[in-house]
PDB file of all heavy atoms in Angstrom:
ATOM      1  N   GLN A 212     -13.448  42.062  37.100  1.00 50.00           N
ATOM      2  CA  GLN A 212     -12.338  41.141  37.162  1.00 50.00           C
ATOM      3  C   GLN A 212     -12.739  39.736  36.797  1.00 50.00           C
ATOM      4  O   GLN A 212     -13.814  39.290  37.143  1.00 50.00           O
ATOM      5  CB  GLN A 212     -11.725  41.152  38.589  1.00 50.00           C
ATOM      6  CG  GLN A 212     -11.123  42.502  38.959  1.00 50.00           C
ATOM      7  CD  GLN A 212      -9.932  42.898  38.081  1.00 50.00           C
ATOM      8  OE1 GLN A 212      -9.086  42.079  37.773  1.00 50.00           O
ATOM      9  NE2 GLN A 212      -9.912  44.159  37.681  1.00 50.00           N
ATOM     10  N   SER A 213     -11.851  39.015  36.138  1.00 59.00           N
ATOM     11  CA  SER A 213     -12.078  37.612  35.818  1.00 59.00           C
ATOM     12  C   SER A 213     -12.037  36.792  37.110  1.00 59.00           C
ATOM     13  O   SER A 213     -11.341  37.087  38.063  1.00 59.00           O
ATOM     14  CB  SER A 213     -11.014  37.097  34.863  1.00 59.00           C
ATOM     15  OG  SER A 213     -11.031  35.695  34.769  1.00 59.00           O
ATOM     16  N   ALA A 214     -12.840  35.727  37.134  1.00 66.00           N
ATOM     17  CA  ALA A 214     -12.857  34.850  38.318  1.00 66.00           C
ATOM     18  C   ALA A 214     -11.553  34.103  38.476  1.00 66.00           C
ATOM     19  O   ALA A 214     -11.251  33.634  39.587  1.00 66.00           O
ATOM     20  CB  ALA A 214     -14.050  33.867  38.217  1.00 66.00           C
ATOM     21  N   MET A 215     -10.794  33.940  37.397  1.00 78.00           N
ATOM     22  CA  MET A 215      -9.508  33.241  37.435  1.00 78.00           C
ATOM     23  C   MET A 215      -8.499  34.004  36.628  1.00 78.00           C
ATOM     24  O   MET A 215      -8.294  33.752  35.440  1.00 78.00           O
ATOM     25  CB  MET A 215      -9.678  31.807  36.943  1.00 78.00           C
ATOM     26  CG  MET A 215     -10.509  30.949  37.843  1.00 78.00           C
ATOM     27  SD  MET A 215     -10.712  29.274  37.201  1.00 78.00           S
ATOM     28  CE  MET A 215     -11.847  29.574  35.862  1.00 78.00           C
ATOM     29  N   THR A 216      -7.867  34.937  37.277  1.00 81.00           N
ATOM     30  CA  THR A 216      -7.038  35.924  36.581  1.00 81.00           C
ATOM     31  C   THR A 216      -5.736  35.317  36.012  1.00 81.00           C
ATOM     32  O   THR A 216      -5.082  35.933  35.187  1.00 81.00           O
ATOM     33  CB  THR A 216      -6.647  37.093  37.521  1.00 81.00           C
ATOM     34  OG1 THR A 216      -6.082  36.537  38.717  1.00 81.00           O
ATOM     35  CG2 THR A 216      -7.899  37.881  37.884  1.00 81.00           C
ATOM     36  N   ASP A 217      -5.350  34.114  36.446  1.00 89.00           N
ATOM     37  CA  ASP A 217      -4.096  33.524  35.969  1.00 89.00           C
ATOM     38  C   ASP A 217      -4.231  32.881  34.603  1.00 89.00           C
ATOM     39  O   ASP A 217      -3.219  32.532  33.972  1.00 89.00           O
ATOM     40  CB  ASP A 217      -3.586  32.484  36.949  1.00 89.00           C
ATOM     41  CG  ASP A 217      -3.064  33.131  38.248  1.00 89.00           C
ATOM     42  OD1 ASP A 217      -2.958  34.348  38.273  1.00 89.00           O
ATOM     43  OD2 ASP A 217      -2.785  32.388  39.215  1.00 89.00           O
ATOM     44  N   PHE A 218      -5.451  32.709  34.113  1.00 93.00           N
ATOM     45  CA  PHE A 218      -5.647  32.128  32.805  1.00 93.00           C
ATOM     46  C   PHE A 218      -5.446  33.155  31.686  1.00 93.00           C
ATOM     47  O   PHE A 218      -5.909  34.299  31.793  1.00 93.00           O
ATOM     48  CB  PHE A 218      -7.038  31.525  32.671  1.00 93.00           C
ATOM     49  CG  PHE A 218      -7.153  30.089  33.122  1.00 93.00           C
ATOM     50  CD1 PHE A 218      -7.262  29.808  34.457  1.00 93.00           C
ATOM     51  CD2 PHE A 218      -7.112  29.067  32.193  1.00 93.00           C
ATOM     52  CE1 PHE A 218      -7.341  28.484  34.902  1.00 93.00           C
ATOM     53  CE2 PHE A 218      -7.193  27.741  32.586  1.00 93.00           C
ATOM     54  CZ  PHE A 218      -7.307  27.456  33.951  1.00 93.00           C
ATOM     55  N   ARG A 219      -4.750  32.754  30.628  1.00 94.00           N
ATOM     56  CA  ARG A 219      -4.679  33.542  29.402  1.00 94.00           C
ATOM     57  C   ARG A 219      -5.913  33.196  28.581  1.00 94.00           C
ATOM     58  O   ARG A 219      -6.154  32.025  28.298  1.00 94.00           O
ATOM     59  CB  ARG A 219      -3.411  33.206  28.639  1.00 94.00           C
ATOM     60  CG  ARG A 219      -2.137  33.443  29.380  1.00 94.00           C
ATOM     61  CD  ARG A 219      -1.785  34.914  29.470  1.00 94.00           C
ATOM     62  NE  ARG A 219      -0.495  35.088  30.152  1.00 94.00           N
ATOM     63  CZ  ARG A 219       0.032  36.317  30.349  1.00 94.00           C
ATOM     64  NH1 ARG A 219      -0.551  37.362  29.894  1.00 94.00           N
ATOM     65  NH2 ARG A 219       1.193  36.404  31.004  1.00 94.00           N
ATOM     66  N   GLU A 220      -6.680  34.208  28.194  1.00 93.00           N
ATOM     67  CA  GLU A 220      -7.928  33.959  27.474  1.00 93.00           C
ATOM     68  C   GLU A 220      -7.776  34.271  25.998  1.00 93.00           C
ATOM     69  O   GLU A 220      -7.173  35.280  25.606  1.00 93.00           O
ATOM     70  CB  GLU A 220      -9.043  34.772  28.071  1.00 93.00           C
ATOM     71  CG  GLU A 220      -9.427  34.333  29.503  1.00 93.00           C
ATOM     72  CD  GLU A 220     -10.834  34.640  29.877  1.00 93.00           C
ATOM     73  OE1 GLU A 220     -11.772  34.094  29.249  1.00 93.00           O
ATOM     74  OE2 GLU A 220     -11.043  35.485  30.767  1.00 93.00           O
ATOM     75  N   TYR A 221      -8.355  33.396  25.173  1.00 96.00           N
ATOM     76  CA  TYR A 221      -8.361  33.493  23.719  1.00 96.00           C
ATOM     77  C   TYR A 221      -9.816  33.383  23.285  1.00 96.00           C
ATOM     78  O   TYR A 221     -10.357  32.298  23.308  1.00 96.00           O
ATOM     79  CB  TYR A 221      -7.457  32.452  23.096  1.00 96.00           C
ATOM     80  CG  TYR A 221      -6.057  32.449  23.675  1.00 96.00           C
ATOM     81  CD1 TYR A 221      -5.755  31.666  24.815  1.00 96.00           C
ATOM     82  CD2 TYR A 221      -5.047  33.206  23.080  1.00 96.00           C
ATOM     83  CE1 TYR A 221      -4.453  31.684  25.342  1.00 96.00           C
ATOM     84  CE2 TYR A 221      -3.747  33.219  23.618  1.00 96.00           C
ATOM     85  CZ  TYR A 221      -3.487  32.452  24.758  1.00 96.00           C
ATOM     86  OH  TYR A 221      -2.213  32.465  25.282  1.00 96.00           O
ATOM     87  N   THR A 222     -10.422  34.506  22.917  1.00 95.00           N
ATOM     88  CA  THR A 222     -11.869  34.556  22.692  1.00 95.00           C
ATOM     89  C   THR A 222     -12.225  34.949  21.260  1.00 95.00           C
ATOM     90  O   THR A 222     -11.336  35.277  20.460  1.00 95.00           O
ATOM     91  CB  THR A 222     -12.500  35.572  23.652  1.00 95.00           C
ATOM     92  OG1 THR A 222     -12.173  36.893  23.221  1.00 95.00           O
ATOM     93  CG2 THR A 222     -11.996  35.367  25.076  1.00 95.00           C
ATOM     94  N   MET A 223     -13.502  34.945  20.955  1.00 96.00           N
ATOM     95  CA  MET A 223     -13.976  35.416  19.648  1.00 96.00           C
ATOM     96  C   MET A 223     -13.795  36.947  19.500  1.00 96.00           C
ATOM     97  O   MET A 223     -13.851  37.458  18.406  1.00 96.00           O
ATOM     98  CB  MET A 223     -15.429  35.039  19.428  1.00 96.00           C
ATOM     99  CG  MET A 223     -15.650  33.538  19.267  1.00 96.00           C
ATOM    100  SD  MET A 223     -14.812  32.848  17.826  1.00 96.00           S
ATOM    101  CE  MET A 223     -15.896  33.419  16.492  1.00 96.00           C
ATOM    102  N   LEU A 224     -13.582  37.590  20.597  1.00 95.00           N
ATOM    103  CA  LEU A 224     -13.295  39.058  20.555  1.00 95.00           C
ATOM    104  C   LEU A 224     -11.807  39.281  20.339  1.00 95.00           C
ATOM    105  O   LEU A 224     -11.428  40.210  19.607  1.00 95.00           O
ATOM    106  CB  LEU A 224     -13.724  39.748  21.830  1.00 95.00           C
ATOM    107  CG  LEU A 224     -15.222  39.731  22.153  1.00 95.00           C
ATOM    108  CD1 LEU A 224     -15.462  40.286  23.530  1.00 95.00           C
ATOM    109  CD2 LEU A 224     -16.000  40.562  21.113  1.00 95.00           C
ATOM    110  N   ALA A 225     -10.979  38.440  20.936  1.00 94.00           N
ATOM    111  CA  ALA A 225      -9.523  38.601  20.833  1.00 94.00           C
ATOM    112  C   ALA A 225      -8.841  37.255  20.926  1.00 94.00           C
ATOM    113  O   ALA A 225      -8.390  36.823  21.978  1.00 94.00           O
ATOM    114  CB  ALA A 225      -9.032  39.532  21.951  1.00 94.00           C
ATOM    115  N   PRO A 226      -8.772  36.502  19.805  1.00 95.00           N
ATOM    116  CA  PRO A 226      -8.145  35.188  19.819  1.00 95.00           C
ATOM    117  C   PRO A 226      -6.622  35.229  19.839  1.00 95.00           C
ATOM    118  O   PRO A 226      -5.974  34.202  20.068  1.00 95.00           O
ATOM    119  CB  PRO A 226      -8.632  34.537  18.511  1.00 95.00           C
ATOM    120  CG  PRO A 226      -8.866  35.710  17.618  1.00 95.00           C
ATOM    121  CD  PRO A 226      -9.378  36.821  18.479  1.00 95.00           C
ATOM    122  N   LYS A 227      -6.041  36.396  19.615  1.00 94.00           N
ATOM    123  CA  LYS A 227      -4.595  36.603  19.718  1.00 94.00           C
ATOM    124  C   LYS A 227      -3.833  35.584  18.863  1.00 94.00           C
ATOM    125  O   LYS A 227      -4.143  35.392  17.707  1.00 94.00           O
ATOM    126  CB  LYS A 227      -4.179  36.547  21.194  1.00 94.00           C
ATOM    127  CG  LYS A 227      -4.943  37.543  22.078  1.00 94.00           C
ATOM    128  CD  LYS A 227      -4.718  37.305  23.542  1.00 94.00           C
ATOM    129  CE  LYS A 227      -5.628  38.133  24.394  1.00 94.00           C
ATOM    130  NZ  LYS A 227      -5.580  37.792  25.826  1.00 94.00           N
ATOM    131  N   ARG A 228      -2.857  34.918  19.446  1.00 93.00           N
ATOM    132  CA  ARG A 228      -1.990  33.987  18.687  1.00 93.00           C
ATOM    133  C   ARG A 228      -2.724  32.707  18.263  1.00 93.00           C
ATOM    134  O   ARG A 228      -2.198  31.923  17.489  1.00 93.00           O
ATOM    135  CB  ARG A 228      -0.753  33.646  19.469  1.00 93.00           C
ATOM    136  CG  ARG A 228       0.188  34.844  19.688  1.00 93.00           C
ATOM    137  CD  ARG A 228       1.494  34.432  20.276  1.00 93.00           C
ATOM    138  NE  ARG A 228       2.391  35.554  20.459  1.00 93.00           N
ATOM    139  CZ  ARG A 228       3.157  36.071  19.503  1.00 93.00           C
ATOM    140  NH1 ARG A 228       3.141  35.504  18.296  1.00 93.00           N
ATOM    141  NH2 ARG A 228       3.948  37.106  19.747  1.00 93.00           N
ATOM    142  N   LEU A 229      -3.908  32.512  18.775  1.00 96.00           N
ATOM    143  CA  LEU A 229      -4.661  31.304  18.389  1.00 96.00           C
ATOM    144  C   LEU A 229      -5.728  31.566  17.340  1.00 96.00           C
ATOM    145  O   LEU A 229      -6.610  30.735  17.140  1.00 96.00           O
ATOM    146  CB  LEU A 229      -5.295  30.693  19.640  1.00 96.00           C
ATOM    147  CG  LEU A 229      -4.315  30.244  20.736  1.00 96.00           C
ATOM    148  CD1 LEU A 229      -5.078  29.469  21.807  1.00 96.00           C
ATOM    149  CD2 LEU A 229      -3.189  29.393  20.183  1.00 96.00           C
ATOM    150  N   ALA A 230      -5.634  32.720  16.677  1.00 95.00           N
ATOM    151  CA  ALA A 230      -6.659  33.074  15.675  1.00 95.00           C
ATOM    152  C   ALA A 230      -6.790  32.016  14.582  1.00 95.00           C
ATOM    153  O   ALA A 230      -7.910  31.735  14.151  1.00 95.00           O
ATOM    154  CB  ALA A 230      -6.346  34.429  15.075  1.00 95.00           C
ATOM    155  N   GLU A 231      -5.684  31.443  14.142  1.00 95.00           N
ATOM    156  CA  GLU A 231      -5.741  30.497  13.059  1.00 95.00           C
ATOM    157  C   GLU A 231      -6.378  29.165  13.441  1.00 95.00           C
ATOM    158  O   GLU A 231      -6.712  28.345  12.593  1.00 95.00           O
ATOM    159  CB  GLU A 231      -4.363  30.234  12.501  1.00 95.00           C
ATOM    160  CG  GLU A 231      -3.400  29.585  13.447  1.00 95.00           C
ATOM    161  CD  GLU A 231      -1.978  29.480  12.861  1.00 95.00           C
ATOM    162  OE1 GLU A 231      -1.708  28.554  12.079  1.00 95.00           O
ATOM    163  OE2 GLU A 231      -1.162  30.399  13.214  1.00 95.00           O
ATOM    164  N   TYR A 232      -6.617  28.989  14.764  1.00 96.00           N
ATOM    165  CA  TYR A 232      -7.254  27.751  15.225  1.00 96.00           C
ATOM    166  C   TYR A 232      -8.702  27.970  15.613  1.00 96.00           C
ATOM    167  O   TYR A 232      -9.379  27.034  16.060  1.00 96.00           O
ATOM    168  CB  TYR A 232      -6.488  27.213  16.433  1.00 96.00           C
ATOM    169  CG  TYR A 232      -5.020  27.044  16.130  1.00 96.00           C
ATOM    170  CD1 TYR A 232      -4.077  27.842  16.774  1.00 96.00           C
ATOM    171  CD2 TYR A 232      -4.570  26.157  15.157  1.00 96.00           C
ATOM    172  CE1 TYR A 232      -2.714  27.741  16.474  1.00 96.00           C
ATOM    173  CE2 TYR A 232      -3.226  26.037  14.854  1.00 96.00           C
ATOM    174  CZ  TYR A 232      -2.312  26.841  15.525  1.00 96.00           C
ATOM    175  OH  TYR A 232      -0.937  26.742  15.201  1.00 96.00           O
ATOM    176  N   VAL A 233      -9.245  29.180  15.387  1.00 95.00           N
ATOM    177  CA  VAL A 233     -10.644  29.445  15.643  1.00 95.00           C
ATOM    178  C   VAL A 233     -11.510  28.615  14.707  1.00 95.00           C
ATOM    179  O   VAL A 233     -12.519  27.996  15.098  1.00 95.00           O
ATOM    180  CB  VAL A 233     -10.993  30.943  15.470  1.00 95.00           C
ATOM    181  CG1 VAL A 233     -12.497  31.167  15.494  1.00 95.00           C
ATOM    182  CG2 VAL A 233     -10.301  31.763  16.534  1.00 95.00           C
ATOM    183  N   GLY A 234     -11.123  28.562  13.433  1.00 95.00           N
ATOM    184  CA  GLY A 234     -11.857  27.792  12.424  1.00 95.00           C
ATOM    185  C   GLY A 234     -10.918  27.454  11.300  1.00 95.00           C
ATOM    186  O   GLY A 234      -9.702  27.381  11.477  1.00 95.00           O
ATOM    187  N   PHE A 235     -11.465  27.307  10.090  1.00 97.00           N
ATOM    188  CA  PHE A 235     -10.621  27.020   8.939  1.00 97.00           C
ATOM    189  C   PHE A 235     -10.192  28.324   8.300  1.00 97.00           C
ATOM    190  O   PHE A 235     -10.981  29.252   8.145  1.00 97.00           O
ATOM    191  CB  PHE A 235     -11.382  26.209   7.919  1.00 97.00           C
ATOM    192  CG  PHE A 235     -11.639  24.759   8.323  1.00 97.00           C
ATOM    193  CD1 PHE A 235     -12.562  23.989   7.614  1.00 97.00           C
ATOM    194  CD2 PHE A 235     -10.970  24.211   9.391  1.00 97.00           C
ATOM    195  CE1 PHE A 235     -12.805  22.702   7.997  1.00 97.00           C
ATOM    196  CE2 PHE A 235     -11.221  22.897   9.789  1.00 97.00           C
ATOM    197  CZ  PHE A 235     -12.148  22.115   9.078  1.00 97.00           C
ATOM    198  N   MET A 236      -8.932  28.408   7.885  1.00 97.00           N
ATOM    199  CA  MET A 236      -8.418  29.548   7.164  1.00 97.00           C
ATOM    200  C   MET A 236      -8.720  29.373   5.662  1.00 97.00           C
ATOM    201  O   MET A 236      -9.006  28.292   5.189  1.00 97.00           O
ATOM    202  CB  MET A 236      -6.943  29.721   7.412  1.00 97.00           C
ATOM    203  CG  MET A 236      -6.623  30.053   8.878  1.00 97.00           C
ATOM    204  SD  MET A 236      -4.871  30.458   9.120  1.00 97.00           S
ATOM    205  CE  MET A 236      -4.097  28.858   8.798  1.00 97.00           C
ATOM    206  N   GLU A 237      -8.602  30.491   4.917  1.00 97.00           N
ATOM    207  CA  GLU A 237      -9.005  30.461   3.517  1.00 97.00           C
ATOM    208  C   GLU A 237      -8.201  29.457   2.691  1.00 97.00           C
ATOM    209  O   GLU A 237      -8.790  28.717   1.893  1.00 97.00           O
ATOM    210  CB  GLU A 237      -8.883  31.858   2.930  1.00 97.00           C
ATOM    211  CG  GLU A 237      -9.563  31.972   1.579  1.00 97.00           C
ATOM    212  CD  GLU A 237      -9.958  33.419   1.262  1.00 97.00           C
ATOM    213  OE1 GLU A 237     -10.939  33.887   1.872  1.00 97.00           O
ATOM    214  OE2 GLU A 237      -9.305  34.038   0.424  1.00 97.00           O
ATOM    215  N   PRO A 238      -6.875  29.357   2.816  1.00 97.00           N
ATOM    216  CA  PRO A 238      -6.177  28.332   2.044  1.00 97.00           C
ATOM    217  C   PRO A 238      -6.639  26.903   2.354  1.00 97.00           C
ATOM    218  O   PRO A 238      -6.656  26.068   1.469  1.00 97.00           O
ATOM    219  CB  PRO A 238      -4.710  28.536   2.465  1.00 97.00           C
ATOM    220  CG  PRO A 238      -4.634  29.961   2.929  1.00 97.00           C
ATOM    221  CD  PRO A 238      -5.947  30.206   3.596  1.00 97.00           C
ATOM    222  N   GLU A 239      -7.012  26.672   3.599  1.00 97.00           N
ATOM    223  CA  GLU A 239      -7.505  25.313   3.971  1.00 97.00           C
ATOM    224  C   GLU A 239      -8.833  25.033   3.303  1.00 97.00           C
ATOM    225  O   GLU A 239      -9.073  23.902   2.821  1.00 97.00           O
ATOM    226  CB  GLU A 239      -7.601  25.226   5.488  1.00 97.00           C
ATOM    227  CG  GLU A 239      -6.247  25.347   6.211  1.00 97.00           C
ATOM    228  CD  GLU A 239      -6.326  25.583   7.708  1.00 97.00           C
ATOM    229  OE1 GLU A 239      -7.405  26.044   8.145  1.00 97.00           O
ATOM    230  OE2 GLU A 239      -5.351  25.321   8.393  1.00 97.00           O
ATOM    231  N   VAL A 240      -9.708  26.035   3.268  1.00 98.00           N
ATOM    232  CA  VAL A 240     -11.021  25.815   2.628  1.00 98.00           C
ATOM    233  C   VAL A 240     -10.855  25.697   1.124  1.00 98.00           C
ATOM    234  O   VAL A 240     -11.506  24.869   0.469  1.00 98.00           O
ATOM    235  CB  VAL A 240     -11.961  26.986   2.956  1.00 98.00           C
ATOM    236  CG1 VAL A 240     -13.299  26.848   2.220  1.00 98.00           C
ATOM    237  CG2 VAL A 240     -12.218  27.050   4.477  1.00 98.00           C
ATOM    238  N   ARG A 241      -9.980  26.505   0.558  1.00 98.00           N
ATOM    239  CA  ARG A 241      -9.745  26.417  -0.900  1.00 98.00           C
ATOM    240  C   ARG A 241      -9.225  25.009  -1.274  1.00 98.00           C
ATOM    241  O   ARG A 241      -9.648  24.433  -2.300  1.00 98.00           O
ATOM    242  CB  ARG A 241      -8.744  27.484  -1.337  1.00 98.00           C
ATOM    243  CG  ARG A 241      -8.613  27.623  -2.847  1.00 98.00           C
ATOM    244  CD  ARG A 241      -7.547  28.662  -3.181  1.00 98.00           C
ATOM    245  NE  ARG A 241      -7.957  29.996  -2.781  1.00 98.00           N
ATOM    246  CZ  ARG A 241      -8.699  30.814  -3.518  1.00 98.00           C
ATOM    247  NH1 ARG A 241      -9.158  30.412  -4.711  1.00 98.00           N
ATOM    248  NH2 ARG A 241      -8.976  32.017  -3.108  1.00 98.00           N
ATOM    249  N   ALA A 242      -8.337  24.468  -0.441  1.00 97.00           N
ATOM    250  CA  ALA A 242      -7.794  23.155  -0.709  1.00 97.00           C
ATOM    251  C   ALA A 242      -8.877  22.083  -0.640  1.00 97.00           C
ATOM    252  O   ALA A 242      -8.929  21.138  -1.456  1.00 97.00           O
ATOM    253  CB  ALA A 242      -6.661  22.824   0.261  1.00 97.00           C
ATOM    254  N   LEU A 243      -9.737  22.199   0.355  1.00 97.00           N
ATOM    255  CA  LEU A 243     -10.873  21.226   0.470  1.00 97.00           C
ATOM    256  C   LEU A 243     -11.803  21.309  -0.734  1.00 97.00           C
ATOM    257  O   LEU A 243     -12.259  20.278  -1.257  1.00 97.00           O
ATOM    258  CB  LEU A 243     -11.657  21.507   1.753  1.00 97.00           C
ATOM    259  CG  LEU A 243     -11.019  21.036   3.066  1.00 97.00           C
ATOM    260  CD1 LEU A 243     -11.839  21.556   4.259  1.00 97.00           C
ATOM    261  CD2 LEU A 243     -10.906  19.537   3.142  1.00 97.00           C
ATOM    262  N   CYS A 244     -12.086  22.539  -1.148  1.00 97.00           N
ATOM    263  CA  CYS A 244     -12.975  22.738  -2.317  1.00 97.00           C
ATOM    264  C   CYS A 244     -12.363  22.102  -3.584  1.00 97.00           C
ATOM    265  O   CYS A 244     -13.048  21.449  -4.352  1.00 97.00           O
ATOM    266  CB  CYS A 244     -13.282  24.203  -2.555  1.00 97.00           C
ATOM    267  SG  CYS A 244     -14.386  24.897  -1.298  1.00 97.00           S
TER     268      CYS A 244
END
Side-chain angles (χ1 to χ4, degrees):
Q212 296 296 317
S213 167
M215 292 179 287
T216 54
D217 289 351
F218 271 81
R219 301 284 183 179
E220 294 206 64
Y221 306 88
T222 73
M223 291 298 284
L224 295 172
K227 304 169 190 172
R228 293 188 179 278
L229 299 189
E231 64 187 278
Y232 307 112
V233 171
F235 290 167
M236 295 187 293
E237 193 155 286
E239 295 166 340
V240 176
R241 189 183 293 276
L243 285 172
C244 288

